[in-house]
Amino acid sequence: MSKLSPISNAIQTDAATVLKSVFGFDQFREGQKQVIEQVLSGRDALVLMPTGGGKSLCYQVPALIFPGITVVVSPLISLMKDQVDGLIASGVAATFINSSIPREQLLDIYRQLQDGHFKLLYVAPERLMQLDFIDRLHSLNVSLIAVDEAHCVSHWGHDFRQDYRLLGQLKRHFPNTPMMGLTATADIATRADISQQLALQSPFVFRSSFDRPNIRYNLLAKYKAVDQLIQYVKDQDGSGIVYCNSRAKVDELSVKLAKQGVRCAGYHAGLEPEIREKIQRDFIQDNIDVIVATVAFGMGINKSNVRFVVHFDLPRSIESYYQETGRAGRDGMPAEALLLFDEKDAARIRQWISMGENTERHDIELQKFAAMEAFAEAQTCRRQVLLNYFSEYSAAHCGNCDICVDPPKRFDGTQEAQKVLSCVYRLGQTVASQYVIDVLRGKNHKRIVEQQHDKISTHGIGKEKSDAYWHNIINQLIHQGLLRIDITQGATLKLTEAARPLLKSERQISLAVPRLALDTKKTRKSDKRYYDRALFAKLKHLRKTIAEQDEVPPFVVFSDASLADMAEQMPQSEQQFLAISGVGSTKLERYGERFLALISNHLNAPG
């Protein structure tokens, strides 16, 4: 192994010192040190790390070592504020510039920038690329430019933004300043496009594992989905996000959850900006536990203690799903992702994509959605499917998804399949799945009697099984290509050619025993750390009190992971408190006395 040069040794020492003294971490995560060294040497970089994987430190640590200022391109106002709040809580001079800042405050920020007061400046791409702003930056000593959410620059990405395309001009304005692109979600085509669009010069590319081992991936067949959601959310502890594809569904679900006693709120673009902002701040401040939202919510959320994410509707791409589920467990503590899946939803989404105005993106979006469907339909380890999509091939099962924890049981489903297919055929392939189920179960609804479908041979042949059971069987037959949904005719079921030999008993079929609910004994997330839960609850209460006094989110004071570490290690001196993960010198000075006093009182309490 070659020895580090004196320069590399100096970089290593400075970076490690900054990491511990400012951010409170004893060691770098995978890849952080390599990226930091390359950037400090003046090289461009492309960093691909999962949400919660430590991307921010890849530019925040160099920012505190470089002599000048680091400019961070960030897409959303709320994200900037949360990150700046966190940096200030750690004793870092940071600020942001966006449309929410009054003119007098903006002028004051400009003055402080000229005086060299700040080490990090967060700014939106549309503001950054204004010529007068570029001119202003030329008067500063810009040491590094970091482009967060860099996948937004690529038309291959799932969240392409026109404003980001202009960022490639930055290299022309600052040819000698290292630039860093950072993203958690990029396939091979998107990665190459990011480098090209940002005009990165021979960048150092680091791609860490996309795996988020602390997240448990669960899927349920969507049936009576509102009841499924209510039961799931009531079983959870802590903050969560529920994603829906429509504003109407957001409003409906948030009201129904609230009626069940869940502290929640709905969030979508149809609400007034000040209402959206208040809801988002209440969620970040832990004043409400659950946000029901369209995908417009969350990209700007830096909240580390989200414990679960539910997709009530199917996302359009693996990238979207990965990014949205990645908002859970950013502190490294156990978290869950639940996807409710219905083949009818999938058929509707395919139709919506095909009807989109941007015809150039149809094929790309349909291809990405097909991959999302494959993930939902998988009967093998979900994490393997997810990682394989990002070209991270894994031979081992993860042991932390519903398929691994509670593997699907197989059975000879030939008779069940024949009952369904025969019923669809006898109903003339003119009805949707629920009508087929009603006939199979022997219902005598008005329409069934009027159409004399109570007289056909398949009426009542499946009455011993539930609606949810047959719904699951139908979905499996669709997955296996024996049925298709005709979305142009009211989601009616149609037989395919592959159904013919099965109906004629010329072949057999294997199906999975329908899973109608999560087995919570098997699938409940578990934290293998043994810490004092009672002390943890007290520490959370103190954190909330301090956060309200300081007007910052609770996780800015300390993450759940730091509190769990305190509840496990129970530090009783400043030196021991400084050894807690996430405790730097500034946080020791600001919060150490109160937390140490609480821990001491807990240990000395009678009984």
Side-chain angles (χ1 to χ4, degrees), residues 66 160 228 232 273 325 572:
F66 275 132
F160 169 64
Q228 289 172 308
Y232 179 81
T325 57
Q572 297 176 62

Side-chain angles (χ1 to χ4, degrees), residues 37 64 67 74 95 97 132 156 159 196 221 233 239 292 301 357 377 385 425 455 485 507 548 563:
E37 288 182 348
L64 299 181
S74 185
T95 190
I97 292 177
D132 62 333
W156 295 106
D159 195 24
Q196 182 179 348
V233 170
S239 296
V292 184
I301 291 298
E357 294 180 3
E377 295 166 1
V385 178
Y425 177 76
K455 303 292 194 296
I485 294 175
R507 59 163 290 201
E548 289 174 350
L563 297 188

Side-chain angles (χ1 to χ4, degrees), residues 539-558:
L539 292 168
K540 282 183 71 174
H541 180 72
L542 175 58
R543 177 181 68 177
K544 184 74 164 66
T545 301
I546 293 173
E548 289 174 350
Q549 292 170 351
D550 293 354
E551 297 183 340
V552 297
F555 60 83
V556 165
V557 179
F558 286 119

Side-chain angles (χ1 to χ4, degrees), residues 345-356 366 369 487-488:
D345 289 348
R348 291 191 191 99
I349 291 172
R350 281 194 297 271
Q351 185 186 39
W352 292 339
I353 292 172
S354 298
M355 293 169 61
L366 284 170
F369 183 63
I487 201 71
T488 66

Side-chain angles (χ1 to χ4, degrees), residues 164-271:
Y164 263 66
R165 294 304 284 266
L166 299 175
L167 295 176
Q169 300 174 18
L170 286 171
K171 266 298 179 184
R172 180 161 50 84
H173 292 289
F174 301 95
N176 299 317
T177 299
M179 181 180 288
M180 180 188 299
L182 306 103
T183 181
T185 48
D187 57 20
I188 292 173
T190 305
R191 294 169 209 163
D193 201 31
I194 291 171
S195 290
Q196 182 179 348
Q197 297 298 332
L198 292 180
L200 302 182
Q201 305 298 307
S202 302
F204 172 72
V205 179
F206 179 80
R207 191 195 78 171
S208 71
S209 171
F210 280 85
D211 191 13
R212 294 287 306 283
N214 62 312
I215 298 178
R216 175 160 293 177
Y217 297 105
N218 292 322
L219 181 141
L220 272 180
K222 191 176 184 180
Y223 190 76
K224 295 187 177 178
V226 174
D227 292 341
Q228 289 172 308
L229 175 68
I230 290 171
Q231 185 58 55
Y232 179 81
V233 170
K234 290 176 75 172
D235 285 345
Q236 301 304 305
D237 181 27
S239 296
I241 304 172
V242 179
Y243 283 113
C244 306
N245 283 347
S246 73
R247 299 176 186 180
K249 187 62 67 176
V250 166
D251 293 336
E252 175 193 350
L253 292 180
S254 57
V255 168
K256 289 184 175 178
L257 284 171
K259 286 182 178 178
Q260 294 294 319
V262 178
R263 294 196 310 165
C264 69
Y267 181 105
H268 56 68
L271 299 173

